[in-house]
Amino acid sequence: MGTVVSIELADDLPPERLVELVGSTCAWLHEVDARFSTYRDDSEVCRFRRGEIALADCSDDFRHVLDRCADLWRDTGGYFDANGGGALDPSGYVKGWSVEVASRRLADAGSIRHYIGAGGDIRMRGSGPGGRPWRVGVRHPWEADQLAWVLSVTDGAVATSGTYERGAHVWNPLTGKPAEGLRSVTVVGPDLAVADAYATAALAMGESGLAWLAQRIDEGYESAAVTDDGRAFTSPGLPTVD
């Protein structure tokens, strides 16, 4: 998926079981990469894009991802668009979804206290080491060695989308131009796939994304954002550490 994934299990389980759980999680993420990679010619996404496989013949996971991307396109007023680049690219949903599924699979297998981080997307379940909430640092959008916020999360997801590392990689699909107005958007909520999509969509919206994010609070999604000119905004329920 073009990123590094870190996994921490805080469960009181035998070491060999913890190793097994990490291994199965990695196997799932590799499976997702093989199916949804836009860089591998033999992936399901690339084969579908070339017309070599019909939607009806695609995997259940593939059809689920496309359905959710369509839902998010509607829910974001077109700002989250898996076809915005001219060819199907569901990567903006797949990363968060795959980690969310990985967390659920770990929980079903007996790991109720864990942390999975994938390139700015993090899913935490239960408490962290020592029984304390997990702490997540949100990088300062200009100072790489500084934090803009520190979040305290027990059960939930944190997703950050920004322009400070990869430059103008998020485009406004309505204008066809790079997103501008917001330098960093962080969304905290119950589902990582949704939080990630919301962060990406808000970044694409620019400053109008601030008002749009405020409307997501009733859905359980809090947020923080930094504008291109350095102003910072947080929603009232953002779980920050004092």
Side-chain angles (χ1 to χ4, degrees):
M1 290 182 285
T3 191
V4 175
V5 177
S6 59
I7 304 168
E8 181 174 352
L9 308 183
D11 307 279
D12 186 17
L13 295 171
E16 60 273 15
R17 179 56 177 161
L18 296 175
V19 171
E20 182 181 352
L21 290 172
V22 170
S24 64
T25 301
C26 291
W28 158 249
L29 295 173
H30 283 298
E31 177 185 335
V32 171
D33 184 59
R35 180 171 294 154
F36 290 98
S37 172
T38 58
Y39 304 101
R40 300 173 59 156
D41 287 341
D42 60 345
S43 72
E44 202 167 0
V45 164
C46 289
R47 293 173 61 209
F48 180 79
R49 281 161 49 162
R50 293 193 300 265
E52 296 174 2
I53 182 172
L55 182 60
D57 298 322
C58 290
S59 65
D60 290 342
D61 284 342
F62 187 88
R63 292 195 298 271
H64 166 78
V65 165
L66 261 59
D67 285 345
R68 289 297 294 128
C69 285
D71 292 340
L72 288 161
W73 178 85
R74 182 192 63 246
D75 295 343
T76 62
Y79 280 96
F80 184 88
D81 191 350
N83 296 284
L88 175 66
D89 183 359
S91 303
Y93 178 79
V94 167
K95 185 174 66 169
W97 165 77
S98 65
V99 173
E100 183 68 34
V101 172
S103 175
R104 185 167 64 245
R105 289 163 64 115
L106 278 173
D108 291 343
S111 173
I112 58 174
R113 298 171 56 205
H114 59 255
Y115 167 112
I116 308 174
D121 293 347
I122 305 165
R123 182 60 162 95
M124 291 141 287
R125 197 176 292 268
S127 57
R132 297 182 298 273
W134 298 95
R135 289 197 172 192
V136 178
V138 179
R139 211 202 88 166
H140 191 286
W142 281 280
E143 304 293 336
D145 60 345
Q146 300 295 320
L147 298 176
W149 294 281
V150 177
L151 307 177
S152 177
V153 181
T154 300
D155 281 295
V158 177
T160 297
S161 184
T163 61
Y164 48 81
E165 283 193 350
R166 296 170 57 193
H169 70 289
V170 175
W171 289 65
N172 181 330
L174 305 189
T175 65
K177 298 179 180 179
E180 57 182 17
L182 297 180
R183 186 165 175 86
S184 173
V185 176
T186 296
V187 176
V188 182
D191 186 287
L192 182 56
V194 175
D196 190 17
Y198 281 0
T200 301
L203 191 73
M205 293 177 191
E207 287 201 33
S208 63
L210 297 173
W212 184 84
L213 286 169
Q215 298 173 18
R216 311 279 76 80
I217 294 175
D218 289 343
E219 301 174 23
Y221 291 89
E222 303 287 343
S223 57
V226 179
T227 63
D228 284 342
D229 59 5
R231 288 169 291 139
F233 297 86
T234 61
S235 60
L238 189 73
T240 55
V241 176
D242 295 332

